[in-house]
Amino acid sequence: MVSTKSTHSISSTTDDDDRELVALGYKPSFKREFSNLATISFAFSIMGLCSSIATTFNTPLLLGGPSSVVWCWILGATMCFTLGASIAEIVSAYPTCGGLYTASAQLTPKRHRARVGWVVGWLNILGQIAGISSTEFGLANMIWAAVVVGKGDDFVVTQGMTVGLFAGLLMFHGILNSLATRHLARLTTGFVFVNLGATFLIIIVLLSTTPRSEMHPADYVFGTAGLFNQTGGWNTGIAFLFGLLSVQWTMTDYDATAHISEEVRRAAYAAPSAIFIAVIGTGLIGWLLNIILVLCSGPLENLPGPSGSAFLEIMVIRMGKDGALVLWAFVCLTAFFVAQTALQACSRTLYAFSRDHGLPDKGYFGKNSKKTMTPLRAIWLTTIVSVLPGLLDLASPVAANAIFSLTAMALDLSYVIPIFLRRVFAHHPEVMFKPGPFYMGDGLLGKFCNWLCIIWTLFICVIFSLPTIRPVTAQNMNYASVITIGVLILSFTWYILGAHKHYIGPQSNLHEKSDTDVDIKRSTEGDNDSKDEV
């Protein structure tokens, strides 16, 4: 009896989700096998927490100092909370795998839909691919950093070794992402426990292994004694604000959960709730981790140490080599999860963009495999394209780092466009925004969050665009803004010259018939037969 009720409940929920998807103009093509826990775990995993902090900790610590690490994190996390809430509101209203790309076109008058969808689509894809590549490259460097600590300072890591490991990891993630949705959901469920468990374990062990006499005073952690301008030319205010780069890079890709919404049960509730919970949790726990790292960091002149990672060096100083490497393995595992979930989200974005004929492929990458019911073509396209920035490191590390650095800028810009449209065209007759279950309302709270996150994102994009070290040379120049603008110009040129002929914005595919429909029908009939037997 319990089994019958459970089966009926899941079936009813799936039917409601699919009806909502059909109302948005798309036929159901995925199996909804991500539970609430798996969805929350996915949202936490895409941010990475301890692994993302580990790969970006050098920037605020070595440019602005310990106080920049601590205060910029909580400032940035608070602002990211307004952005996350604004995104969750839109995702709740448009729970499709296109995410904010699909929503942006729905939130603008018809004559602008194609152009807006095109810009947001390419910005989002650009940011996601750069994010996958940079995360995987960071993971490769983290693994080699552990090898350097284990083998000694004499061990030399070459560019070829880093790029080779990077490419191998990406191929492995491509294979993992080729699993069916039910396997991906089961795999993802455990990510959050490793992510948060590793973070709290590091905090506890650092506090227990650092003598009270060696902990820094409060003025060093929170006050002016912890301000160090090591930028070589920027004023202290700008040096302090470079601390925002860590939190903004960590707390991005919020809409990744939206891209799996067609695989999530009760998507209009679960997807935005997971985003909301993950943003709050990552912000607060991340702040605590940063405070403890600074508190136990020791002399600043000893960092980042032989490994090149200040985070790892602090662990080695306090825990010893063996203890640090054991916990570092879990940090690397967390980064592994980030790349896994990021590749899954990006492949669904490419699938959605191809489904809407945004790619010159006649919808080839917008099809699901009949065996796994997942977009295998889009998965491997994402994997192969994500390898390219890393391979570029062999020819020009400066160019590779430039591509990596545009992740947060491209993604955040793709987020604020639909939020801006949501407010500007709120009462336009061709834009009928139908709020989902997660809704902040049209009152002061909703408007305040929306406009504040837009202003903040534009401000942080300026910080993202600044070179962190002066004097500026070809090697330390920040090319993120140049590449982002360049891609926008090229994509617009492409749209004008020919893409406008096949891309008219997000479009319904309800009229299309495919073998996938037959598979879904057979699967549904099989479920019904099972219910009858029960």
Side-chain angles (χ1 to χ4, degrees), residues 116-396:
V116 168
W118 184 263
V119 170
V120 173
W122 279 112
L123 271 175
N124 199 263
I125 291 170
L126 171 68
Q128 287 193 69
I129 289 176
I132 295 168
S133 193
S134 59
T135 300
E136 206 76 272
F137 206 84
L139 174 57
N141 280 315
M142 289 166 67
I143 294 173
W144 284 124
V147 174
V148 170
V149 170
K151 288 185 172 291
D153 302 348
D154 295 334
F155 185 82
V156 178
V157 180
T158 65
Q159 283 180 300
M161 293 164 64
T162 303
V163 172
L165 180 57
F166 156 82
L169 288 168
L170 256 175
M171 290 299 110
F172 186 57
H173 277 123
I175 294 170
L176 280 181
N177 266 283
S178 299
L179 297 173
T181 302
R182 65 180 180 277
H183 300 306
L184 288 173
R186 290 171 185 167
L187 182 67
T188 305
T189 300
F191 290 178
V192 67
F193 299 108
V194 176
N195 193 343
L196 298 183
T199 303
F200 284 116
L201 196 57
I202 290 170
I203 290 171
I204 293 169
V205 175
L206 278 176
L207 288 174
S208 63
T209 56
T210 304
R212 180 68 185 86
S213 60
E214 295 182 18
M215 290 183 179
H216 288 292
D219 192 39
Y220 182 86
V221 180
F222 299 102
T224 55
L227 288 177
F228 298 95
N229 184 350
Q230 301 185 85
T231 60
W234 290 111
N235 61 47
T236 303
I238 296 295
F240 176 83
L241 290 174
F242 281 142
L244 293 168
L245 298 179
S246 177
V247 61
Q248 294 293 148
W249 196 87
T250 300
M251 297 182 67
T252 191
D253 213 357
Y254 310 90
D255 72 326
T257 310
H259 296 305
I260 64 164
S261 59
E262 293 183 32
E263 300 164 81
V264 172
R265 299 177 197 141
R266 301 180 76 243
Y269 293 87
S273 298
I275 294 171
F276 193 76
I277 293 169
V279 170
I280 294 177
T282 300
L284 294 178
I285 299 171
W287 193 38
L288 177 61
L289 176 59
N290 275 292
I291 291 172
I292 300 304
L293 283 169
V294 171
L295 186 69
C296 305
S297 60
L300 187 62
E301 57 268 21
N302 294 339
L303 302 174
S307 67
S309 169
F311 191 109
L312 178 56
E313 192 65 23
I314 293 169
M315 291 173 62
V316 171
I317 292 171
R318 298 307 178 191
M319 306 173 192
K321 184 185 294 185
D322 294 337
L325 290 179
V326 169
L327 286 181
W328 189 250
F330 288 99
V331 177
C332 291
L333 191 58
T334 302
F336 183 89
F337 296 157
V338 176
Q340 170 69 14
T341 49
L343 200 155
Q344 182 180 350
C346 186
S347 66
R348 272 52 174 180
T349 310
L350 278 171
Y351 165 87
F353 205 45
S354 175
R355 180 174 65 181
D356 292 332
H357 303 288
L359 300 178
D361 63 342
K362 297 184 178 179
Y364 179 79
F365 293 104
K367 306 292 183 184
N368 272 349
S369 164
K370 290 185 286 185
K371 291 184 179 180
T372 64
M373 299 293 287
T374 55
L376 292 183
R377 297 172 182 176
I379 288 168
W380 283 101
L381 174 64
T382 304
T383 303
I384 292 169
V385 173
S386 297
V387 170
L388 299 180
L391 295 180
L392 187 61
D393 188 72
L394 293 173
S396 173

